[in-house]
Amino acid sequence: MLEKGKINAGEFHILVLVFTIGSSILVAPSLLASTAKQDAWITSIMTVIISIPFIFLYNRLASLYPNMTFVEYNEKILGKWAGKITSLLYIFYFFIVSSGMVREMGDFFTTQVLVETPIQMIMIMFLTVSLIGVRLGLEVICRTALIFFPWTIALIFLLILFLIPEIKLENIQPILEEGLKPALKGDYHYLGLPFLELAIFVMIKPYVTDKEKMNKAFYLGTIIGGFILSILSAFSI
């Protein structure tokens, strides 16, 4: 077991939602626009729908092995050696993803906020806070997400509110000018950020106390987070 900490389904829901928005808010609009262009908002909605079967898979695995993490039931399903290799690939994937997130934060702060601060210092600060959170455990990380969640939603709401006067509907026209192909191509890239990354939560689900409500919380967190990203993508256009 990773630790003795426990969270409820409501806290798990917020954790999924915050993770879904996460650093994706910095890169998702530009990532979508580079492939789907003015149809990026359509691509974003489509990707949320496509992600649902993956969440179903994560939930199904957790239902079959409710008290085991991914690493533990991986060996049970695939065997000792194949399970260990797959688990190592899983861990390595999230090492790469985490490294990318730290870099994204560093780029954002050094270009938009602390423009004269060395990027290394920004990244060290984020890593230090993350290490403290890991040391204190899952419950502390979750409580921190709960504290910052209202502020995050409030700031996103204010951003959208102040951008309403700047809306130009002609920017999303013509809709599907080049057909569905660019939109589907955007789905392929956007699905990995952040929806496939939600696989990290199969390591957390054994520590959720409300097993009956947990699966619904996973769906809701993903859909609401994806919906917020879709709105932001539309406003970016």
Side-chain angles (χ1 to χ4, degrees), residues 95-107:
F95 173 77
I96 296 296
V97 169
S98 301
S99 301
M101 287 181 178
V102 173
R103 177 69 194 206
E104 288 166 8
M105 294 295 181
D107 286 337

Side-chain angles (χ1 to χ4, degrees), residues 110-145:
T110 53
T111 56
Q112 303 295 329
V113 185
L114 305 172
V115 294
E116 296 184 5
T117 304
I119 190 171
Q120 292 88 345
M121 293 306 301
I122 300 295
M123 293 166 71
I124 288 171
M125 288 171 62
F126 273 99
L127 282 172
T128 302
V129 173
S130 299
L131 287 171
I132 294 170
V134 171
R135 182 174 178 82
L136 293 175
L138 177 61
E139 287 187 6
V140 173
I141 294 173
C142 189
R143 299 296 185 277
T144 305

Side-chain angles (χ1 to χ4, degrees), residues 4 6 8 12 29 33 39 61 67 103 107 135 162 177 183 189 211 235:
K4 296 180 180 179
K6 295 288 182 181
N8 60 41
F12 181 74
D39 295 321
L61 284 170
N67 299 315
R103 177 69 194 206
D107 286 337
R135 182 174 178 82
F162 290 134
E177 179 184 17
H189 294 291
K211 301 296 183 185
F235 271 83

Side-chain angles (χ1 to χ4, degrees), residues 8 30 53 55 79-80 121 126 149 157 167 174 196 212 219 227:
N8 60 41
S30 60
I55 306 303
K80 183 178 179 180
M121 293 306 301
F126 273 99
F149 175 71
F157 174 77
I167 290 177
L196 292 185
E212 298 81 9
Y219 284 119
F227 180 68

Side-chain angles (χ1 to χ4, degrees), residues 7 13 33 47 94 106 141 145 199 210:
I7 60 175
H13 163 68
T47 309
F94 283 105
I141 294 173
D210 305 330

Side-chain angles (χ1 to χ4, degrees), residues 19 42 93 122 148 170 174 214 230:
F19 182 89
I42 298 176
Y93 166 68
I122 300 295
F148 283 103
E170 59 269 23
M214 177 177 61
S230 298

Side-chain angles (χ1 to χ4, degrees), residues 70 74 78 80-92:
F70 175 80
N74 208 12
L78 300 176
K80 183 178 179 180
W81 294 109
K84 286 186 181 298
I85 292 170
T86 307
S87 297
L88 283 173
L89 291 173
Y90 173 85
I91 294 168
F92 182 69

Side-chain angles (χ1 to χ4, degrees), residues 15-33 44 47-48 93 97 100-105 108 152 156 159 189-198 201 221-222 224-234 236:
L15 210 57
V16 172
L17 201 162
V18 170
F19 182 89
T20 303
I21 299 173
S23 63
S24 303
I25 199 172
L26 302 178
V27 297
S30 60
L31 177 67
L32 290 169
S44 182
T47 309
V48 175
Y93 166 68
V97 169
M101 287 181 178
V102 173
R103 177 69 194 206
E104 288 166 8
M105 294 295 181
F108 175 75
T152 303
I156 291 174
L159 173 65
H189 294 291
Y190 184 46
L191 187 62
L193 179 75
F195 299 103
L196 292 185
E197 294 174 0
L198 292 169
F201 285 96
T222 304
I224 295 172
F227 180 68
I228 291 172
L229 289 176
S230 298
I231 294 174
L232 292 173
S233 297
S236 296

